[in-house]
Amino acid sequence: TIAGQISLILQNHNYNMTHTQNTLSFEHALQDAFLCLEDGCEKLLVGAADEHIGILDNISEKIGYKNIQLTSGASFFILSNKSSRVRVLNAASFGLFNSLSERAEDFFSESKIDLRGVDLILYSTLNENNADEILSLFEGIPMLNFEKYSGIYFTNSAFAMHFAIDILERGRKQFNGMTIDIKRVLICNNLNSQNLGLILLEKVET
């Protein structure tokens, strides 16, 4: 695995885990990192990587992704409890969920933030039913389909987090000719109709 190769190159023999939970692998890695930070770890390298190889086309068709051109991508982050320009407020994953709206409400309640307390939504349009529910739930909040930039691969929510951090560090984004301030970004990983990943990020005021 990529994680194993990185640890060998760095000669780092500390805790090393690879998560393979379909489209929720990156969210599981983030949640694992949070547990490590709570357990006293100072810094963690967390990321996701997907390489498009031929066998994935056959696998993707069997799990419902027909006529979709998969691509490759990798994004890595250093997480710590020390101050930074961007804070990951919460990350969660839901499998075989019944209601996207209910899961989102629970997520925001746990995060102690109002459901409308975000300035930008990054989401996927590949799954039309979930995309429509997201558009309805967060109506009026600016939204971007991050797949236009990342392409489609099973951990592209990691790219969305990188994208969100870039936007938050700049602090502003143009939408429909208007410039708006961006302080919080929600990433909705709705690539798979049966899975939902949510990541909430916030700009740290200095």
Side-chain angles (χ1 to χ4, degrees):
T1 64
I2 297 295
Q5 291 176 13
I6 291 172
S7 68
L8 288 171
I9 291 169
L10 298 177
Q11 297 184 2
N12 186 322
H13 306 295
N14 293 309
Y15 178 80
N16 190 318
M17 183 64 66
T18 296
H19 293 269
T20 54
Q21 277 80 28
N22 198 280
T23 58
L24 295 176
S25 299
F26 179 62
E27 285 77 5
H28 279 254
L30 274 179
Q31 290 172 288
D32 192 356
F34 293 163
L35 292 173
C36 289
L37 289 172
E38 289 176 5
D39 202 35
C41 291
E42 293 184 3
K43 288 184 180 180
L44 294 103
L45 179 65
V46 182
D50 272 296
E51 181 181 5
H52 178 216
I53 55 177
I55 193 173
L56 285 178
D57 294 326
N58 295 328
I59 294 173
S60 64
E61 287 189 9
K62 291 179 181 179
I63 60 175
Y65 295 98
K66 294 182 179 180
N67 302 317
I68 294 173
Q69 180 59 54
L70 295 176
T71 187
S72 305
S75 301
F76 283 81
F77 313 87
I78 294 176
L79 270 64
S80 77
N81 284 321
K82 295 182 179 180
S83 60
S84 176
R85 294 187 297 271
V86 175
R87 179 186 297 121
V88 183
L89 291 177
N90 200 359
S93 57
F94 307 95
L96 302 175
F97 63 95
N98 294 321
S99 169
L100 187 151
S101 299
E102 288 181 5
R103 298 288 74 78
E105 289 172 1
D106 291 343
F107 176 80
F108 274 86
S109 176
E110 181 183 314
S111 305
K112 299 180 181 179
I113 291 174
D114 186 84
L115 191 66
R116 311 290 298 178
V118 292
D119 305 301
L120 175 66
I121 310 289
L122 298 179
Y123 75 114
S124 162
T125 57
L126 181 61
N127 186 276
E128 294 180 359
N129 291 335
N130 283 352
D132 288 343
E133 192 169 356
I134 290 169
L135 290 169
S136 175
L137 182 63
F138 296 102
E139 185 177 2
I141 297 175
M143 299 188 184
L144 279 177
N145 172 19
F146 65 83
E147 280 177 2
K148 291 181 179 180
Y149 308 95
S150 68
I152 298 170
Y153 56 95
F154 296 119
T155 57
N156 62 5
S157 60
F159 170 89
M161 183 160 140
H162 193 165
F163 189 25
I165 290 170
D166 286 346
I167 292 172
L168 286 165
E169 287 186 335
R170 288 195 300 269
R172 293 188 173 187
K173 184 73 176 173
Q174 281 199 336
F175 292 93
N176 301 322
M178 297 177 60
T179 301
I180 63 171
D181 292 329
I182 307 290
K183 295 182 179 179
R184 288 196 188 116
V185 177
L186 175 68
I187 299 166
C188 292
N189 172 9
N190 57 305
L191 185 64
N192 185 321
S193 62
Q194 295 183 319
N195 294 336
L196 175 65
L198 297 173
I199 304 171
L200 183 61
L201 300 105
E202 179 181 64
K203 182 178 180 179
V204 177
E205 299 297 339
T206 56

